[in-house]
């Protein structure tokens, strides 16, 4: 069966510091991968998605970036965090077409102080 | 832009009763919908999906109803249990991505 991992589970970072969140998927090959941010009281916001190694699509202009160095690895990064970057970050995967059902990881709670 | 809304932000039900959670969407061209369950501090969990060529789909204790005429989606949970307490939100496919509702918080009263 497929599993998706995210780490760290929680993170507290000062404003201006860098960020690296990692997501890995097991049990499947060539998944579509996604990064979402979930703010309190708001729906999930798609940040990035990737249909293959090195292929990244950005949905929202911001100070975040994403990379996919390996087939089942997706990384969310920032060079300098802002207070507004605080939130719950979720990685998800889907198989086949991008419009298929997505399965989410456990999430990372990021607090920027 | 797209909008996905929920009629009620909170819902409390007695254990054993049925629960109904609603969702309205705005894009009439969408043809694929999903319901997710999210427990506090955890990632969303896929519950059930439905495509627009169907009006109803049933799973284990859950039923999703789709009314394309009024662009309305609902999730019915039969014999609600304490473990069903969570936030439920819908998602629909439009353009090139899913759009997600803010969620309804379901509380099951023992």
């Amino acid at each position: 069966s497929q599993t998706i991992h995210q780490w760290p589970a929680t993170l507290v970072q000062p404003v201006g510091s860098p960020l690296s969140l990692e997501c890995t998927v097991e049990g499947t090959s060539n998944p579509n991968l996604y990064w979402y941010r979930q703010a309190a009281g708001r729906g999930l916001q798609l940040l990035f998605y990737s249909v293959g190694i090195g292929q990244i699509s950005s949905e929202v202009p911001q100070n975040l970036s994403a990379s996919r160095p390996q087939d089942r690895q997706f990384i969310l990064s920032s060079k300098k965090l802002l207070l507004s970057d605080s939130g719950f970050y979720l990685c998800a995967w889907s198989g086949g077409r991008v419009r298929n059902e997505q399965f989410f990881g456990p999430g990372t709670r990021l607090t920027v102080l | 832009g797209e909008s996905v809304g929920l009629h009620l932000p909170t819902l409390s039900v007695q254990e054993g009763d049925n629960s109904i959670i609603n969702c309205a969407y705005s894009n009439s061209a969408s043809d694929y919908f999903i319901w997710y369950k999210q427990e506090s501090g955890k990632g969303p969990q896929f519950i059930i999906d439905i495509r627009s060529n169907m009006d109803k789909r049933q799973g284990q204790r859950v039923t999703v109803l789709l009314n394309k005429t009024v662009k309305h989606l609902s999730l019915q949970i039969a014999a609600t249990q304490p473990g069903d307490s969570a936030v439920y939100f819908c998602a629909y496919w439009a353009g090139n991505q899913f759009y997600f509702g803010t969620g309804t918080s379901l509380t099951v009263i023992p």
Side-chain angles (χ1 to χ4, degrees):
Chain A
S1 64
Q2 300 86 9
T3 56
I4 179 168
H5 305 278
Q6 286 186 245
W7 67 91
T10 60
L11 189 61
V12 180
Q13 292 285 97
V15 169
S17 64
L19 173 73
S20 181
L21 303 181
E22 190 162 343
C23 170
T24 59
V25 181
E26 296 178 355
T28 187
S29 60
N30 195 30
N32 303 307
L33 297 172
Y34 311 84
W35 277 113
Y36 289 91
R37 177 166 56 206
Q38 187 176 37
R42 302 184 67 178
L44 294 175
Q45 178 187 33
L46 178 64
L47 302 175
F48 302 94
Y49 70 93
S50 172
V51 298
I53 296 174
Q55 301 178 60
I56 307 295
S57 297
S58 175
E59 292 297 316
V60 182
Q62 57 212 329
N63 69 321
L64 299 172
S65 62
S67 62
R68 185 170 177 174
Q70 301 181 43
D71 181 45
R72 290 169 288 178
Q73 183 185 30
F74 206 22
I75 297 172
L76 182 69
S77 304
S78 174
K79 293 182 178 179
K80 290 184 177 182
L81 284 169
L82 306 172
L83 287 174
S84 58
D85 291 325
S86 294
F88 193 48
Y89 288 83
L90 289 159
C91 180
W93 75 273
S94 67
R97 299 179 300 171
V98 292
R99 62 188 296 163
N100 287 341
E101 62 268 26
Q102 296 180 11
F103 301 95
F104 288 85
T108 294
R109 173 69 61 188
L110 171 66
T111 303
V112 182
L113 302 176
Chain B
E2 303 297 339
S3 66
V4 181
L6 289 159
H7 294 311
L8 296 172
T10 61
L11 177 65
S12 295
V13 299
Q14 291 287 338
E15 181 178 358
D17 288 351
N18 297 334
S19 302
I20 300 177
I21 300 171
N22 298 302
C23 178
Y25 62 95
S26 60
N27 190 318
S28 58
S30 182
D31 61 358
Y32 182 50
F33 305 83
I34 301 176
W35 278 103
Y36 286 96
K37 171 186 179 183
Q38 187 174 23
E39 298 177 349
S40 181
K42 298 183 178 179
Q45 178 185 4
F46 175 92
I47 300 175
I48 192 169
D49 61 356
I50 189 169
R51 299 195 182 271
S52 60
N53 60 349
M54 302 175 68
D55 297 324
K56 178 180 180 179
R57 191 171 186 215
Q58 290 183 293
Q60 187 177 11
R61 282 201 307 116
V62 295
T63 301
V64 55
L65 298 177
L66 176 62
N67 186 329
K68 296 179 288 294
T69 301
V70 296
K71 297 193 284 289
H72 183 268
L73 188 71
S74 68
L75 176 70
Q76 300 179 2
I77 305 174
T80 313
Q81 303 169 359
D84 294 328
S85 292
V87 172
Y88 293 81
F89 57 87
C90 66
Y92 77 91
W93 182 263
N96 65 346
Q97 65 175 279
F98 279 105
Y99 290 86
F100 297 83
T102 55
T104 291
S105 178
L106 174 65
T107 300
V108 181
I109 303 169

